[in-house]
PDB file of all heavy atoms in Angstrom:
ATOM      1  N   ASP A 853     -25.947  40.996  67.702  1.00 97.00           N
ATOM      2  CA  ASP A 853     -27.417  41.168  67.701  1.00 97.00           C
ATOM      3  C   ASP A 853     -28.058  40.664  66.445  1.00 97.00           C
ATOM      4  O   ASP A 853     -29.267  40.441  66.390  1.00 97.00           O
ATOM      5  CB  ASP A 853     -27.741  42.658  68.004  1.00 97.00           C
ATOM      6  CG  ASP A 853     -27.590  43.055  69.437  1.00 97.00           C
ATOM      7  OD1 ASP A 853     -27.721  42.215  70.262  1.00 97.00           O
ATOM      8  OD2 ASP A 853     -27.325  44.240  69.596  1.00 97.00           O
ATOM      9  N   ALA A 864     -25.994  39.137  74.748  1.00 97.00           N
ATOM     10  CA  ALA A 864     -25.574  40.181  75.701  1.00 97.00           C
ATOM     11  C   ALA A 864     -24.252  39.766  76.296  1.00 97.00           C
ATOM     12  O   ALA A 864     -23.353  40.586  76.484  1.00 97.00           O
ATOM     13  CB  ALA A 864     -26.644  40.400  76.765  1.00 97.00           C
ATOM     14  N   PRO A 875      -9.311  42.513  60.069  1.00 95.00           N
ATOM     15  CA  PRO A 875      -8.271  43.527  59.896  1.00 95.00           C
ATOM     16  C   PRO A 875      -8.783  44.800  59.285  1.00 95.00           C
ATOM     17  O   PRO A 875      -9.841  44.895  58.713  1.00 95.00           O
ATOM     18  CB  PRO A 875      -7.355  42.791  58.861  1.00 95.00           C
ATOM     19  CG  PRO A 875      -7.658  41.295  58.970  1.00 95.00           C
ATOM     20  CD  PRO A 875      -9.099  41.248  59.312  1.00 95.00           C
ATOM     21  N   SER A 884      -9.216  46.056  36.113  1.00 85.00           N
ATOM     22  CA  SER A 884     -10.196  45.871  34.945  1.00 85.00           C
ATOM     23  C   SER A 884     -10.264  44.378  34.602  1.00 85.00           C
ATOM     24  O   SER A 884     -11.255  43.959  33.987  1.00 85.00           O
ATOM     25  CB  SER A 884      -9.672  46.687  33.790  1.00 85.00           C
ATOM     26  OG  SER A 884      -8.381  46.303  33.307  1.00 85.00           O
ATOM     27  N   ALA A 941      -4.162  33.937  63.892  1.00 97.00           N
ATOM     28  CA  ALA A 941      -5.148  33.248  63.100  1.00 97.00           C
ATOM     29  C   ALA A 941      -6.241  34.115  62.600  1.00 97.00           C
ATOM     30  O   ALA A 941      -6.677  33.992  61.421  1.00 97.00           O
ATOM     31  CB  ALA A 941      -5.677  32.036  63.870  1.00 97.00           C
ATOM     32  N   THR A 967     -12.925  30.461  45.725  1.00 96.00           N
ATOM     33  CA  THR A 967     -13.010  29.006  45.604  1.00 96.00           C
ATOM     34  C   THR A 967     -11.721  28.335  45.975  1.00 96.00           C
ATOM     35  O   THR A 967     -11.690  27.095  46.226  1.00 96.00           O
ATOM     36  CB  THR A 967     -13.388  28.615  44.207  1.00 96.00           C
ATOM     37  OG1 THR A 967     -12.346  29.064  43.294  1.00 96.00           O
ATOM     38  CG2 THR A 967     -14.723  29.272  43.750  1.00 96.00           C
ATOM     39  N   PHE A 995     -18.710  24.462  58.460  1.00 97.00           N
ATOM     40  CA  PHE A 995     -19.438  25.560  59.140  1.00 97.00           C
ATOM     41  C   PHE A 995     -18.802  26.950  58.909  1.00 97.00           C
ATOM     42  O   PHE A 995     -19.286  27.918  59.419  1.00 97.00           O
ATOM     43  CB  PHE A 995     -19.539  25.236  60.614  1.00 97.00           C
ATOM     44  CG  PHE A 995     -20.535  24.136  60.885  1.00 97.00           C
ATOM     45  CD1 PHE A 995     -20.004  22.875  61.134  1.00 97.00           C
ATOM     46  CD2 PHE A 995     -21.878  24.229  60.897  1.00 97.00           C
ATOM     47  CE1 PHE A 995     -20.847  21.696  61.369  1.00 97.00           C
ATOM     48  CE2 PHE A 995     -22.728  23.172  61.145  1.00 97.00           C
ATOM     49  CZ  PHE A 995     -22.276  21.948  61.397  1.00 97.00           C
ATOM     50  N   PRO A1013      11.413  20.279  58.960  1.00 97.00           N
ATOM     51  CA  PRO A1013      10.795  19.723  60.147  1.00 97.00           C
ATOM     52  C   PRO A1013       9.299  20.139  60.248  1.00 97.00           C
ATOM     53  O   PRO A1013       8.465  19.301  60.682  1.00 97.00           O
ATOM     54  CB  PRO A1013      11.631  20.313  61.280  1.00 97.00           C
ATOM     55  CG  PRO A1013      12.908  20.633  60.720  1.00 97.00           C
ATOM     56  CD  PRO A1013      12.639  21.110  59.293  1.00 97.00           C
ATOM     57  N   ALA A1091      14.213  18.701  35.120  1.00 98.00           N
ATOM     58  CA  ALA A1091      13.463  17.593  34.652  1.00 98.00           C
ATOM     59  C   ALA A1091      14.036  16.265  35.277  1.00 98.00           C
ATOM     60  O   ALA A1091      13.257  15.450  35.725  1.00 98.00           O
ATOM     61  CB  ALA A1091      13.466  17.477  33.173  1.00 98.00           C
ATOM     62  N   SER A1112      16.191  45.825  42.424  1.00 81.00           N
ATOM     63  CA  SER A1112      16.543  44.509  42.156  1.00 81.00           C
ATOM     64  C   SER A1112      17.356  44.507  40.810  1.00 81.00           C
ATOM     65  O   SER A1112      17.075  45.192  39.897  1.00 81.00           O
ATOM     66  CB  SER A1112      15.303  43.633  41.897  1.00 81.00           C
ATOM     67  OG  SER A1112      15.641  42.336  41.368  1.00 81.00           O
ATOM     68  N   ARG A1163       4.474  60.035  53.495  1.00 44.00           N
ATOM     69  CA  ARG A1163       4.675  61.297  52.826  1.00 44.00           C
ATOM     70  C   ARG A1163       3.431  62.239  52.952  1.00 44.00           C
ATOM     71  O   ARG A1163       3.525  63.444  52.706  1.00 44.00           O
ATOM     72  CB  ARG A1163       4.996  61.081  51.323  1.00 44.00           C
ATOM     73  CG  ARG A1163       6.330  60.589  51.065  1.00 44.00           C
ATOM     74  CD  ARG A1163       6.718  60.547  49.629  1.00 44.00           C
ATOM     75  NE  ARG A1163       6.156  59.396  48.923  1.00 44.00           N
ATOM     76  CZ  ARG A1163       5.130  59.427  48.136  1.00 44.00           C
ATOM     77  NH1 ARG A1163       4.565  60.597  47.824  1.00 44.00           N
ATOM     78  NH2 ARG A1163       4.703  58.332  47.609  1.00 44.00           N
TER      79      ARG A1163
END
Side-chain angles (χ1 to χ4, degrees):
D853 284 331
S884 59
T967 64
F995 290 97
S1112 169
R1163 286 188 281 107

